[in-house]
């Protein structure tokens, strides 16, 4: 058994060197995500085709929408896959790419500048969306069909495509997995005591998480609340494995000593 464990660890390290990660998503979820992405692109493309497809060589679906669909449907807890980044990130990138093309043409320097400037703007606008880099490139290198659209490329098809993808993703998620809607952890003091919220009294606190994220100093591809929820589940598993069940006394308030309207506060 130890030999098998060691061999498994060696294979895992080899996979990690190649950038391969262990899959934790079951086949049902993979199929659901894949069907959702196909549906989102299908709806977005169909509407674009209906509105623009009859106009000769009109561009009715921007290529980076395929990457946006992967994020929206397969990584829904990512901050990069929320409605604002998906919509604003693509539109901002298209505007930047159009401006760069009009100023510098369609050479390699213009392509590099478009991606870099688009990302630079996405940070303060809080709309970092990886497919936006592709959108900026399409605006520069898309050829006569894209260049003929001018500033309108950012809104039709890019803005239209992105808005439809976001709408389909939200509706699809509610229809197929409503129980997976994430509820942010509750940190308020609902019992009006001086104690911290129960989940903050042992192990990880929100302040710990904020400090770790500041020290990490990189974009994390998971929503802050979802990350906290995941870490608390891992923490609970670790507590269960090492110490057994957490006792009520570990998390419950002592009403006599912690009531805000205690006799001591009344006397003062």
């Amino acid at each position: 058994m130890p030999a098998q464990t060691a061999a498994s660890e060696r294979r895992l390290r080899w996979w990690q060197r190649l950038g391969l990660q262990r899959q934790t998503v079951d086949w049902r979820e993979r199929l659901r995500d894949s069907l959702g992405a196909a549906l989102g692109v299908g709806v977005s493309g169909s509407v674009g085709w209906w509105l623009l497809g009859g106009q000769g060589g009109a561009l009715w679906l921007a290529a980076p929408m395929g990457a946006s669909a992967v994020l929206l449907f397969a990584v829904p807890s990512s901050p990069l896959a929320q409605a604002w980044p998906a919509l604003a990130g693509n539109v901002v990138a298209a505007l930047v790419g159009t401006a760069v093309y009009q100023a510098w043409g369609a050479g390699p320097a213009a392509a590099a500048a478009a991606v870099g400037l688009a990302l630079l703007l996405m940070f303060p606008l809080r709309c970092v969306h990886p497919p936006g880099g592709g959108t900026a490139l399409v605006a520069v290198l898309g050829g006569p069909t894209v260049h003929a659209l001018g500033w309108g490329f950012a809104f039709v098809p890019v803005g239209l495509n992105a808005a439809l993808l976001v709408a389909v993703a939200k509706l699809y998620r509610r229809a197929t997995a409503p129980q997976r809607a994430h509820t942010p952890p509750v940190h308020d003091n609902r019992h009006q005591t001086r104690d911290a919220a129960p989940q903050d009294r042992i192990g990880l606190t929100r302040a710990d998480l904020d400090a770790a994220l500041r020290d990490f100093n990189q974009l994390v591809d998971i929503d802050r609340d979802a990350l906290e929820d995941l870490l608390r589940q891992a923490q609970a598993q670790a507590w269960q494995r090492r110490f057994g069940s957490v006792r009520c006394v570990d998390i419950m308030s002592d009403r006599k000593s912690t009531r805000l309207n205690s006799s001591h506060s009344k006397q003062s």
Side-chain angles (χ1 to χ4, degrees), residues 151-204:
W151 299 104
F153 170 69
F155 305 103
V156 179
V158 170
L160 175 65
N161 292 160
L164 289 169
L165 269 179
V166 168
V168 173
K170 286 186 173 296
L171 293 173
Y172 183 79
R173 201 173 303 132
R174 289 177 184 174
T176 61
Q179 73 279 7
R180 299 189 185 183
H182 179 70
T183 302
V186 178
H187 289 269
D188 61 338
N189 198 324
R190 292 182 288 184
H191 300 292
Q192 297 183 348
T193 67
R194 291 191 180 94
D195 293 333
Q199 68 269 27
D200 292 333
R201 295 177 203 168
I202 54 174
L204 178 75

Side-chain angles (χ1 to χ4, degrees), residues 53-208:
Q55 301 177 15
L59 181 63
W60 45 271
L61 183 64
M65 293 304 117
S68 292
V70 171
L71 277 176
L72 286 166
F73 290 91
V75 201
S77 62
S78 169
L80 312 178
Q82 304 309 305
W84 173 250
L87 180 58
N90 276 308
V91 171
V92 166
L95 291 172
V96 169
T98 300
V100 168
Y101 168 74
Q102 293 183 359
W104 297 327
V115 174
L117 290 173
L119 181 57
L120 188 64
L121 277 178
M122 288 183 205
F123 275 113
L125 294 174
R126 300 185 181 184
C127 62
V128 174
H129 188 62
T135 303
L137 282 180
V138 171
V140 173
L141 306 176
T145 301
V146 172
H147 298 155
L149 295 174
W151 299 104
F153 170 69
F155 305 103
V156 179
V158 170
L160 175 65
N161 292 160
L164 289 169
L165 269 179
V166 168
V168 173
K170 286 186 173 296
L171 293 173
Y172 183 79
R173 201 173 303 132
R174 289 177 184 174
T176 61
Q179 73 279 7
R180 299 189 185 183
H182 179 70
T183 302
V186 178
H187 289 269
D188 61 338
N189 198 324
R190 292 182 288 184
H191 300 292
Q192 297 183 348
T193 67
R194 291 191 180 94
D195 293 333
Q199 68 269 27
D200 292 333
R201 295 177 203 168
I202 54 174
L204 178 75
T205 68
R206 177 163 282 192
D208 296 331

Side-chain angles (χ1 to χ4, degrees), residues 246-265:
V246 177
R247 301 172 301 166
C248 292
V249 70
D250 295 327
I251 60 174
M252 291 186 67
S253 301
D254 182 351
R255 177 176 294 189
K256 293 181 180 179
S257 63
T258 57
R259 272 289 181 184
L260 292 177
N261 57 351
S262 62
S263 57
H264 178 74
S265 62

Side-chain angles (χ1 to χ4, degrees), residues 26-36 172:
D26 62 31
W27 282 103
R28 179 178 297 179
E29 182 66 14
R30 297 179 198 181
L31 181 60
R32 190 180 75 89
D33 295 345
S34 302
L35 290 175
Y172 183 79

